[in-house]
Amino acid sequence: MTTTRNGDFAGSALRRRPQLSDEVAAHVRGLIMSGGVRPGDYVRLDETAAELGVSVTPVREALLTLRGEGLVELVPHRGYVVAPLTRSDIHDLFWLQGQIAERLAMRATAAVTPEVLREMRDARDELARAVAESDAARVEHLEFSFHRQLNRLANANKLSWFLLNAVRYTPAHLYSSDPKWGEAAVASHDRLIAALESGDAQEAGAVTREHFADGADRLLAHLETIGIWD
């Protein structure tokens, strides 16, 4: 591997580029899943690059990734177009997330300690404050952190990895900016903590699965409202 004049590895640029393209892919993926761009719309390289303040290269790499995921299609001589997205697609994605998350919650129940419960209650209280203050960015961060803490207790790295990849298709900003979803999330956390405290793995799993089912219903209602399938 070669070095630059200041002694840094030239290959470091290659390590940075995929991170930037991943960020672009996450942005476009969120637009597609939330209906910001619709099936049949073209995702223009130049326009997307200008919007995000990046070069065309990471946008092109991101669209190649999304093409592999089936979210966009390449039309010869015209560019990338958003692929069809059906109601069944939404149901399937959230069903998969719910199934994995349910199993993780059930496994985590046996590993819960009083200290963990205190930390989860503190996290729940922080989430409630963020919801009350309409701090969408903090709501999104706290929600992710809460479930990550639970998933780590399960000591199931492969399942956690699959869940992390599955939730990439959840447009988190759509939920974190919705006060009604925030209130429902706090209530769901209360039920989950109670189930964990009592050692009821079945209830912990059921609450977690319902949380994802609720997410599917809310996303479908949003997409119906904006007429994505009209």
Side-chain angles (χ1 to χ4, degrees):
M1 184 177 293
T2 59
T3 58
T4 60
R5 290 180 181 177
N6 61 10
D8 293 335
F9 283 112
S12 63
L14 296 178
R15 290 194 294 273
R16 287 196 297 271
R17 278 176 54 191
Q19 294 175 0
L20 182 56
S21 66
D22 286 348
E23 292 176 10
V24 175
H27 172 78
V28 178
R29 190 184 292 113
L31 287 176
I32 293 172
M33 296 305 301
S34 63
V37 290
R38 305 184 178 207
D41 288 349
Y42 280 87
V43 181
R44 306 296 182 186
L45 293 176
D46 291 344
E47 292 176 5
T48 304
E51 177 186 351
L52 299 179
V54 300
S55 68
V56 169
T57 298
V59 177
R60 182 180 292 108
E61 293 171 348
L63 290 173
L64 285 172
T65 296
L66 297 177
R67 183 188 182 192
E69 297 174 11
L71 292 179
V72 299
E73 299 171 349
L74 178 60
V75 180
H77 311 300
R78 298 195 64 183
Y80 289 93
V81 64
V82 178
L85 180 68
T86 69
R87 296 172 180 84
S88 294
D89 291 332
I90 304 298
H91 281 297
D92 291 344
L93 285 168
F94 280 84
W95 174 85
L96 177 62
Q97 294 172 20
Q99 291 292 308
I100 300 174
E102 176 185 15
R103 190 166 184 84
L104 287 168
M106 293 177 68
R107 287 194 183 183
T109 304
V112 169
T113 64
E115 180 181 3
V116 168
L117 287 171
R118 284 194 298 272
E119 292 175 353
M120 296 188 80
R121 288 193 178 94
D122 289 343
R124 177 267 178 212
D125 292 343
E126 284 191 56
L127 177 63
R129 283 193 292 272
V131 170
E133 295 168 1
S134 299
D135 188 343
R138 186 145 180 80
V139 168
E140 185 173 333
H141 169 73
L142 290 169
E143 173 70 4
F144 178 81
S145 298
F146 182 91
H147 288 282
R148 180 177 60 181
Q149 181 182 25
L150 181 65
N151 295 340
R152 284 177 173 173
L153 287 175
N155 193 27
N157 291 337
K158 295 297 186 292
L159 278 180
S160 296
W161 182 86
F162 278 114
L163 180 59
L164 181 62
N165 280 274
V167 298
R168 291 184 304 173
Y169 301 97
T170 301
H173 64 281
L174 186 69
Y175 300 98
S176 60
S177 59
D178 181 356
K180 291 184 179 179
W181 176 88
E183 294 170 1
V186 171
S188 176
H189 288 193
D190 284 335
R191 291 179 57 204
L192 179 55
I193 291 170
L196 295 171
E197 185 172 27
S198 65
D200 190 340
Q202 294 294 329
E203 175 65 9
V207 171
T208 303
R209 185 180 66 251
E210 290 170 11
H211 182 62
F212 284 90
D214 176 72
D217 290 341
R218 291 176 187 273
L219 179 54
L220 284 166
H222 166 74
L223 295 175
E224 293 280 4
T225 297
I226 66 174
I228 194 171
W229 292 300
D230 290 348

